[in-house]
Amino acid sequence: MTKPYSDPYATLNLPHTATAAEIKQAYFALVRSYPPEREPQMFKRIRAAYERLRDPEQRAETDMLLLQAWPTPARRRRTPQPDLALQQADVIAAARALTDLVRSDWREHYEKVKL
Amino acid sequence: MAKTRKIVAPMPLAAGAVADRRQQGLRAFQNSRFDEAIQLWSPLAERDQQVRAALAEAYFRRALKPGADKLADLRQAAALAPNDARYQYHLGMQLHQIGELAAAIACYRGVIERGGPHGAALLLALATLEQRADIDLATLPGSTPELRAVLAPAQSLLQDRQPPETTEGGFIVQLRRTLGIGESASEAVAQLWRGLGQIAAHDSEAAATLGDPRSLPTPQLTAIRRNYIGVAAASAGDMDTALTLWRKVYDSGISTTALLDNLTAALYDRLSALLDADDQAGAVELALQTVALPLTNAALNELQVQQLDQAGHAAAIAGDWARAIVLWTAARQIVGANQGLGSPRPLWHNLALAYEAQERWLDAADAWRGMLRTRPRRRGGDQDDTFTEAQWAWVRKRVIECYKHAGRPDEAVTVFRQMIKAEPNDLDLRLQLADALMGNGQEQAAQNEVQRILKVDPHFADAQARNAILLAARGYLAAAEEALRDAVEHHPERTDLRSQLARMLLDHAIHYVERGFDAGAEPLLREGQGMEPTNEQFPLNLARVRLNQHRPDEARTLLDQVMELAGDRPEPYIDVFQCWVIEEDLDAARDVISRAEATFTPLPDFYAQLGILAIVETAPPPPMINPFLPLAALPKQPPPVETEWTTLGRELLARAVAGQPDDARLHGRIAAGLMGPRPDIAQVHADEVARLAPDDPDMLILRGVVLAMNERKREAKDQLRKAANVARKQGNRDLAAQADAMRREVDSPLFRAALQMRSLVEEFDDDIDELF
């Protein structure tokens, strides 16, 4: 088990599209809720998340290190339905399975070669 | 004289050589080395009838081996021995298998005419039936009532009619007689036809009929029966059973379109049911188990990929990156097989990050490269690309970084060189090669590559940017700036280029300021400020220039500007504070603190840094060491002097500690920062460090050093011994040896002198930072 993934936006309860002002606002709101003297661990996490997003350059780097979500499909696809009819191909396959077509041992057809 | 080349006609083989080849071929044939036999006999076959027949047999025997080109070999055999019904028969069957019904029928007719294998009549009837379901089989050569009875169920079903009653004794007997199979197997076949008839009629009895446990004569029939038991189950709403059975049918080697469609529907149904029951783990396992199935249905694949991707995220958040890799690899496999699902870019991205977390650098590099391949082909075209140029550049850099981590920076160069071979006119690729060359330390080759790009497109912004970096690295700062100015001029929309130029100007200006060349720095800072007016580093360094020029009022205006631009970031306030400390303007320094407190809530670290600065920057320099005097005559540490700055410093440190009194890291930072100029103040914090972190050997060493700085040598030695013991107990031998070495040096007059030197203290301070 290696270091778990952490998303600083999630720590600050923000979407990835948050503006710099929103990031700052969220950070201060969380610091008020988790002051360092009472919640040192939580505060550390909040502070670390904020550090990764505060500076635009650092934020650009952080954004590239975020896991990407598979996009939700734009439209609903048609649910696949089973075809429960008898297939002609299967009828032919069944008939073929009664013939030499499915046989693999043909030793009786071998002929000795004499030179 | 011109030489003439003599043309030699091929010589016919001598009689001895012919005999040799015949016998060699025979030996190869007898040892089943048909390739060799064919090679040896082929030149002789035209003139030697016996060899010709033998060669036909060799082709025939090779055709029956797995992996052979059956059709080609059987055609050869039939051409060499056109009267041999065996070859015609097998050629007919091969053509029949691949759907060449007319050609197969011709072969079968020929076989029947020559009285060949008796199966030919049945196969002729079947091939004809496959062509035309309403054919009167009695009109075909070799047709018998038994043969027609065997094919009657198939013929009826192909005409959408119910098959004749197959469970009657007559049909069973005819089956046994025609096919030479046992009674039980014949009855099982009869039941199968009946069951298929019921499936065609949507009769719910089909499940019971097809559930006949008796063995069928061939595995193909068993698979067909299993498939339709699945169909019967699905008709009754039992999709789970259907999925299990269809999966088994697929695993037996059957992959008809209808089977794959049904598997798709059943799998979708099962996945949806699991998700409706909130069993995401079950859904993910099912998606993983079925990833190799060639089911390319968009709805199913989307569901699979979504589950795998979400589970990948959950695994990564739990730190199980290995599992995340398995899940995202599976998702990528599905997306790769189904183009309609969209770009695999997010999956490549996640995979690359997962490989990096696992330190599988080569795999990570491959994944980043996979991501690069998802980039729209045309640069600047109208294709939708959610990534910016800067982001693509970041990915390219990452490829190179990963190869570097893997100890293979050369690999990145090789990779990009290979890509360029395929697309020599792709300037983006050439730029990537330049980056890789830079990463591999081949600056000159990188420069050459960049020049090649600029020759083709002199205003290619990224090439100009790389050119500037390369020029700056070689010390041609003015030329580098000129290259970037040109890039900015031609690409005003590229803010990244402006930032790069601004940063370069700033570095250049700081280089001048540090050397006292203020006149050179100022225009660069002014130009940089024009590029990045919100970057406070420009007014900050302009203020430093003004202070050097003893123009504090102008500096004040600039430093006010720095604080306005700083917002809630503490670092610029610390820089401004340092300026006023150096300028020894106490009121201005206090004003900085007030302004910071009015703008944001400073953290303890902020006060600690200001406190350290106030004390360190105003402390008298350590006494000079005269290298010509004996060690015993080294100057003593002057007694500490209390000033208004030390008062401010102490006040700030007290505020820092009040915020986090039990934070060993904070105390450690203060102790390390002050042990050179004010070991007495440092001691208080070093004592706290040792109290708060008694099992941390680094902290104990720090206290030992501070004790030594305060001339409390015995206690220092005891502390360092204790630190060594703790380190040893924790298995950290290097640290233990370091503590022991320091203990032995405590009595040396150089020990304190060395630590007092600012550079050493600062270095130690960095180490302390790293500890946390």
Side-chain angles (χ1 to χ4, degrees), chain B residues 74-98:
Chain B
L74 289 168
R75 279 195 165 126
Q76 284 284 0
L80 286 162
N83 294 323
D84 193 320
R86 290 176 305 140
Y87 304 151
Q88 286 290 336
Y89 186 55
H90 283 271
L91 177 58
M93 284 196 288
Q94 194 54 40
L95 291 162
H96 196 160
Q97 297 275 25
I98 61 168

Side-chain angles (χ1 to χ4, degrees), chain B residues 164-319:
Chain B
E165 189 47 64
T166 52
T167 46
E168 284 172 5
F171 179 74
I172 310 278
V173 171
Q174 282 154 344
L175 262 183
R176 292 186 61 188
R177 210 176 282 162
T178 312
L179 305 179
I181 54 176
E183 188 172 347
S184 169
S186 300
E187 284 174 2
V189 172
Q191 277 291 84
L192 173 64
W193 285 122
R194 195 165 160 247
L196 293 181
Q198 287 167 335
I199 290 283
H202 306 290
D203 184 343
S204 60
E205 288 298 309
T209 308
L210 292 166
D212 182 358
R214 285 170 296 190
S215 293
L216 286 158
T218 65
Q220 290 82 356
L221 287 172
T222 306
I224 290 167
R225 182 168 70 183
R226 188 174 280 146
N227 179 34
Y228 281 97
I229 298 174
V231 169
S235 300
D238 182 1
M239 288 299 263
D240 281 2
T241 303
L243 176 60
T244 309
L245 290 164
W246 288 334
R247 180 70 205 259
K248 276 187 185 163
V249 174
Y250 175 80
D251 290 343
S252 72
I254 292 176
S255 56
T256 59
T257 311
L259 176 66
L260 294 178
D261 286 349
N262 283 347
L263 259 174
T264 300
L267 189 52
Y268 184 88
D269 185 83
R270 180 81 191 121
L271 276 172
S272 305
L274 286 165
L275 291 173
D276 288 345
D278 274 340
D279 183 1
Q280 205 184 9
V284 169
E285 276 318 305
L286 186 60
L288 265 182
Q289 284 164 16
T290 51
V291 80
L293 295 174
L295 308 178
T296 51
N297 173 277
L300 171 68
N301 293 155
E302 257 172 20
L303 198 56
Q304 286 174 305
V305 172
Q306 265 171 6
Q307 295 316 308
L308 292 166
D309 181 52
Q310 283 170 16
H313 280 256
I317 288 165

Side-chain angles (χ1 to χ4, degrees), chain B residues 24 147 192 194 261 263 328 343 347 390 403 411 431 458 502 540 570-571 573 585 620 632 650 652 666 732 753:
Chain B
Q24 281 171 13
L147 180 153
L192 173 64
R194 195 165 160 247
D261 286 349
L263 259 174
W328 282 322
S343 169
L347 298 170
Y403 280 126
E411 188 60 25
L431 190 67
L540 176 69
E571 290 83 4
Y573 288 92
D585 185 335
R650 283 175 186 278
L652 289 165
L666 185 67
N732 194 340

Side-chain angles (χ1 to χ4, degrees), chain A residues 3 50 68 83 90 100 109, chain B residues 86 89 228 262 350 568:
Chain A
K3 202 177 162 195
Y50 182 55
Q68 307 291 303
D83 182 351
D90 290 331
D100 280 348
H109 278 200
Chain B
R86 290 176 305 140
Y89 186 55
Y228 281 97
N262 283 347
N350 295 348
D568 66 328

